[in-house]
Amino acid sequence: LTSAHPTEQKSEHSPNTSRKGNALPFDPQAVLKKYESERDIRIRRRPEGNQQYKPLYKLAEQDSRFAAMLKDPWSNPETRDPKHDQVEVTIVGAGYGGVGAGAQ
């Protein structure tokens, strides 16, 4: 993996064609230039940068419409004493990765 800008990465296809060799209906360099220009305008208008975006929990403190977004409708948390078991493997979470790792 590299941290190079997408336009700086080496590619075997022309900048105006898709990876399958089809002509693109736009100029990618023009789109990138326009995007960067619009980003610069937003940054100048909002000098606080990313600080303008408030975390959800802070929005929920100020506006009840956001408070409902913090509640998980599918869980009923229960308080209990901490467990002190000794285990060889711990899988945290039950997403696809956790379920797949548990199955193996």
Side-chain angles (χ1 to χ4, degrees), residues 6 8 24 31 41 43 46 48 53 69-70 72 78 83 86 92 101:
E8 296 171 0
L24 296 174
V31 171
I41 290 170
I43 290 172
R46 300 296 299 256
E48 65 270 33
Y53 304 111
M69 296 173 79
L70 294 177
D72 183 351
E78 298 177 16
K83 295 195 179 250
Q86 284 198 310
V92 179

Side-chain angles (χ1 to χ4, degrees), residues 61-102:
E61 292 171 358
Q62 301 167 357
D63 189 332
S64 62
R65 294 176 299 170
F66 295 103
M69 296 173 79
L70 294 177
K71 180 161 176 26
D72 183 351
W74 306 109
S75 72
N76 294 318
E78 298 177 16
T79 56
R80 61 169 177 77
D81 292 332
K83 295 195 179 250
H84 300 284
D85 297 342
Q86 284 198 310
V87 297
E88 291 181 32
V89 176
T90 300
I91 298 175
V92 179
Y96 291 120
V99 172

